[in-house]
Amino acid sequence: MSKKDKILIIGAGLCGSLLALRLAQRGYKIELREERPDMRKTDISAGKSINLAFSDRGIKALKMVGVVDKVFPLCIPMTGRMIHSIEGETFLSPYSARDGEYINSVSRGQLNGLLLDEVEKFDNVTLQFNSKCTSVDFENNTVGCFDNISGVEEKINATIIFGADGAGSILRKEMFLQRKILFSYSQQFLEHGYKELSIPPTESGGFKTYRNALHIWPRGEYMLIALPNLDGSFTVTLFLPHKNSEYSFSELNTDEKVNKFFQKQFPDALELMPNLIEEFQNNPVGNLGTIKCNPWNYKGKTLLIGDAAHAVVPFYGQGMNASFEDVYVLDQYIKKHEGNWSKILIEYEKDRKKDADAIGDLAVENFYEMRDHVANPIFKKKRQIEMELETKFSYYSKYSMVTFKEDIGYNEAKRIGNAQDKALLNLIANNRVEGLSIEKIFELVKKEVSEILDDDKIAKTMHH
Amino acid sequence: MSKKDKILIIGAGLCGSLLALRLAQRGYKIELREERPDMRKTDISAGKSINLAFSDRGIKALKMVGVVDKVFPLCIPMTGRMIHSIEGETFLSPYSARDGEYINSVSRGQLNGLLLDEVEKFDNVTLQFNSKCTSVDFENNTVGCFDNISGVEEKINATIIFGADGAGSILRKEMFLQRKILFSYSQQFLEHGYKELSIPPTESGGFKTYRNALHIWPRGEYMLIALPNLDGSFTVTLFLPHKNSEYSFSELNTDEKVNKFFQKQFPDALELMPNLIEEFQNNPVGNLGTIKCNPWNYKGKTLLIGDAAHAVVPFYGQGMNASFEDVYVLDQYIKKHEGNWSKILIEYEKDRKKDADAIGDLAVENFYEMRDHVANPIFKKKRQIEMELETKFSYYSKYSMVTFKEDIGYNEAKRIGNAQDKALLNLIANNRVEGLSIEKIFELVKKEVSEILDDDKIAKTMHH
């Protein structure tokens, strides 16, 4: 294809904006459509934007487009999890024992706004808000878009169409419903939902609790987290079962019940949350779902990307980073096969699918680890050993590999990380690390991990 | 509820018919609707009915309704897999080393017809064919049914509605699309499809190849199987990738290519198949998919059952047996909580879901084992050791547990069976069984299995 041919990107969220920016830099003619109004002018969060944790995979992608230095000023580094016990005690569990390995709290709106500003600098991009995708004609590569302001419906034809339209992707839904191909599809909801709350800044604009951490109040069946914002506030998210539990969103249906619940479970957080009741009443309950599908492309001309292809739950802080990495990986294939879009899309999908599946699984697994962090002494012991290993050796825990080793794919990080977790947990549970030096433990872990991986490999030849 | 209240069952296939029969025996008033015409009067198979393997879980359910003695005369026992090598050599790999542990080839149409005959003996059942479910009003427990003959649309209200309408269930689709509940849903297709072919009887009505086996021609990327029928014929099924393979359904698009393919890969089968080309041309290519969903019930008043709740691929020969076992398990809860349908449906689902998930996974895994059986010497060695263990000890291989131990749930059979497989494969691969007596091997396997299960248990506390 010639660079004069048109590329349509549906969705100008984080993924769509970055994709548009990269393709614009490469000289393509881009049509970028977004259903919502311009977020730089309207608050469209509606209490439903879990704060984002920006980390190395996302950084890699934003370096590629040369905007990462503009992003860091919007970030607050979080060096670890600040665990709040029910008695109000806190301890900081660092994300890594190495310097420079931390994650960054950033506002979705500010980051998306920045990317849109960059996109608009390019003449070869047409960006239109309030333009909703309503139909897809896959055979003719044509999409129907309805303008929410003018009420006009238009047909847009493009050589290549990207569906970057998020977890509720219309493009994906059409792939599913039109049944032109065998479309494997999975949507899995947790029994938990979430509600966004907040800790406001102090009167002088300072932070009411420790600034540089992701705060967690883990309580088994439920969990509260808080991420810092530049203005001194924290965005707080409550995770709670939808129903069928002593405390659930359907149970907490009066102000009194909400207050009592917080007094009992999160007393130190409650003190920092003067607007709790009002926010609890006004903010909606969100669902937590993982979406996987296959294939992502239709005949090498249409491609799902970002959340549209692989929505994940937020518990690994990787949703945005995974979507940014999608664009990074896609760009490698554009570099390799420029001019042959069909090859680019198909090879990208083949490479990327396993990693997208892996981060979907990892994020669900991490939910349980986060919730149970305090309750389980084996987890604490494991984390402590991991920190020692990371301090003294070239050792990367699963969390570190997923979060900080952007040169290892998610799938590989999951495979090795789960073997490490299994080895450590079993060594601890069977009292095999008691009294050993960290050097000995390191040798033992390496040996066990290698055996686990070998055994899994042989068994796996059976199940492919 | 009173026994005079109405129960609507959508679908009079194997599961719906058995369910209707059991509920009729219990005295309920049943409305049974089937979209297709009466299969006892019309051939509705259209070359798309993989033969059925009737085994202990199904037998347990048909014993419950007292019809099993009428079924056995329709069955041909298959005591093992007859493996056909590419050179035309054969060897029988028994399903079990114990007497009485075999599976039964049975025709879907004959078995379904028998169940329908039984159902029709009850005055409290209204059975109507050509009645297609077109809409569902979950709140009012009302289903719209369109009569394919008269063209009349009618609304049927019932106290309890069962969706026994198979893998393409309308009831399930409505649960998905109406979004009244968080509906987790997964449809996963294999890259392989299938086509039904046949080996006709000899002129005197005998069997052209060994009668009492499930014949397999395993060839890695593709596979042919054959199951015996009472008339001396065999129903043959070819499994082949849809596309993107040297041999695939999209590649085999001329008679010459089909003939060459069979000549090269299945020469001994080709000799028995005089109608190959005609059948290949006329019979459709089917898809192979696994469907899982959650929940199965809506507010304790509507329930998906059988394939509608959990469609599986045919490689464990358990699709029908699992659906029959659904009815058996449901009946246990009816016995326990009769009068309280909500409790029955919800507790049934809670109990049964893990087992349905497990057989879905097991069936996909077995596809790979069947395909690769001949190619992999470790598999052969494993099967040989399993047979010895089953002969001498109270040992059940995964296959035996799934197929013959109807008192163990699928999920438990999967958990223990996979640990056994892993232990055996690793022992063989690491040359640790060479020269050992079978007694020593038994001890070793028990020890390894126990360690694997322990290790998995600890690691699993992390991922729930």
Side-chain angles (χ1 to χ4, degrees), chain A residues 173 176-177 179 181-192 242-243 287-288 292 294 365-366 368-369 371-372 376 378-379 382 398 418 421-422 425-426 429-430 448 452 454-456 458-459 461-464, chain B residues 173 176-177 179 181-192 242-243 287-288 292 294 365-366 368-369 371-372 376 378-379 382 398 418 421-422 425-426 429-430 448 452 454-456 458-459 461-464:
Chain A
K173 196 179 284 178
F176 181 94
L177 292 175
R179 303 181 69 172
I181 40 173
L182 280 187
F183 191 65
S184 291
Y185 173 77
S186 157
Q187 60 183 41
Q188 302 296 327
F189 294 100
L190 295 185
E191 286 171 12
H192 288 64
H242 283 292
K243 54 182 185 178
N287 299 322
L288 296 162
K292 296 178 184 175
N294 175 34
E365 291 165 10
N366 212 42
Y368 299 108
E369 186 170 351
R371 281 193 337 181
D372 300 344
N376 191 329
I378 297 183
F379 284 3
K382 169 176 159 283
K398 181 166 77 174
N418 280 344
D421 282 354
K422 190 172 180 177
L425 289 169
N426 282 312
N430 298 327
E448 295 281 320
I452 290 169
D454 273 0
D455 284 3
D456 285 349
I458 295 166
T461 58
M462 207 152 159
H463 300 152
H464 297 232
Chain B
K173 197 180 284 178
F176 181 94
L177 292 175
R179 303 180 68 171
I181 41 172
L182 280 186
F183 191 66
S184 291
Y185 173 77
S186 156
Q187 60 182 41
Q188 303 294 329
F189 294 99
L190 295 185
E191 287 170 13
H192 289 64
H242 284 291
K243 54 180 185 179
N287 299 322
L288 296 162
K292 296 179 181 173
N294 175 33
E365 291 165 10
N366 214 40
Y368 299 109
E369 187 171 350
R371 281 192 338 181
D372 301 344
N376 192 330
I378 296 184
F379 283 5
K382 169 175 160 283
K398 182 167 77 176
N418 280 344
D421 282 354
K422 190 172 179 178
L425 289 169
N426 283 312
N430 299 327
E448 294 281 322
I452 289 169
D454 273 0
D455 284 2
D456 285 350
I458 295 166
T461 59
M462 206 153 161
H463 301 152
H464 296 231

Side-chain angles (χ1 to χ4, degrees), chain B residues 49-53 73-78 104-110 196-202 205-215 225-237 279:
Chain B
S49 69
I50 294 180
N51 262 45
L52 299 169
L74 307 177
C75 292
I76 299 180
M78 300 183 288
N104 300 279
S105 179
V106 67
S107 137
R108 172 188 295 271
Q110 287 188 329
E196 201 162 290
L197 307 163
S198 78
I199 295 172
T202 61
F207 292 84
K208 284 191 173 178
T209 181
Y210 183 64
R211 181 184 192 264
N212 291 109
L214 192 156
H215 294 261
I225 67 170
L227 280 82
N229 297 313
L230 287 175
D231 66 359
S233 69
F234 288 83
T235 302
V236 177
T237 310
E279 289 173 343

Side-chain angles (χ1 to χ4, degrees), chain A residues 130-358:
Chain A
N130 305 298
S131 177
K132 181 180 167 53
C133 168
T134 50
S135 65
V136 185
D137 176 348
F138 287 103
E139 298 310 334
N140 298 305
N141 253 38
T142 301
V143 168
C145 283
F146 178 82
D147 189 305
N148 289 333
I149 308 292
S150 70
V152 174
E153 175 103 21
E154 104 197 83
K155 299 276 177 206
I156 305 173
N157 181 265
T159 311
I160 298 295
I161 300 170
F162 287 100
D165 48 346
S169 172
I170 301 293
L171 204 70
R172 190 189 66 234
K173 196 179 284 178
E174 290 298 315
M175 278 191 181
F176 181 94
L177 292 175
Q178 291 186 27
R179 303 181 69 172
K180 290 169 154 297
I181 40 173
L182 280 187
F183 191 65
S184 291
Y185 173 77
S186 157
Q187 60 183 41
Q188 302 296 327
F189 294 100
L190 295 185
E191 286 171 12
H192 288 64
Y194 71 92
K195 192 185 275 276
E196 201 162 289
L197 306 164
S198 78
I199 295 172
T202 62
E203 279 186 21
S204 59
F207 291 84
K208 283 190 174 177
T209 182
Y210 183 65
R211 180 184 192 265
N212 291 109
L214 191 158
H215 294 261
I216 309 187
W217 291 256
R219 299 290 183 268
E221 267 298 285
Y222 24 87
M223 173 170 77
L224 197 69
I225 67 169
L227 280 83
N229 297 313
L230 286 176
D231 67 358
S233 68
F234 287 84
T235 302
V236 178
T237 310
L238 171 66
F239 298 94
L240 198 65
H242 283 292
K243 54 182 185 178
N244 299 332
S245 186
E246 192 193 348
Y247 298 113
S248 67
F249 283 116
S250 67
E251 273 299 312
L252 296 183
N253 51 8
T254 68
D255 297 350
E256 200 194 334
K257 284 183 185 173
V258 173
N259 243 320
K260 270 196 172 161
F261 172 62
F262 271 77
Q263 266 164 19
K264 191 169 168 193
Q265 299 293 335
F266 314 112
D268 60 333
L270 180 60
E271 282 178 29
L272 311 177
M273 300 172 71
N275 309 321
L276 171 65
I277 295 301
E278 194 192 334
E279 288 173 344
F280 202 96
Q281 284 171 345
N282 293 339
N283 289 347
V285 175
N287 299 322
L288 296 162
T290 304
I291 292 172
K292 296 178 184 175
C293 62
N294 175 34
W296 291 342
N297 84 88
Y298 183 75
K299 294 189 176 173
K301 295 196 297 183
T302 310
L303 184 80
L304 300 172
I305 192 165
D307 283 359
H310 50 73
V312 304
V313 294
F315 302 106
Y316 230 111
Q318 286 293 321
M320 167 184 68
N321 294 292
S323 293
F324 281 176
E325 199 178 47
D326 279 2
V327 178
Y328 180 89
V329 174
L330 179 70
D331 193 65
Q332 306 304 305
Y333 286 97
I334 297 178
K335 208 180 287 173
K336 204 168 163 188
H337 303 301
E338 193 145 22
N340 187 343
W341 274 107
S342 166
K343 201 165 183 176
I344 291 165
L345 301 197
I346 288 166
E347 288 199 8
Y348 158 77
E349 177 177 333
K350 204 174 162 192
D351 178 352
R352 187 68 179 152
K353 169 69 176 158
K354 63 182 182 317
D355 291 317
D357 284 350

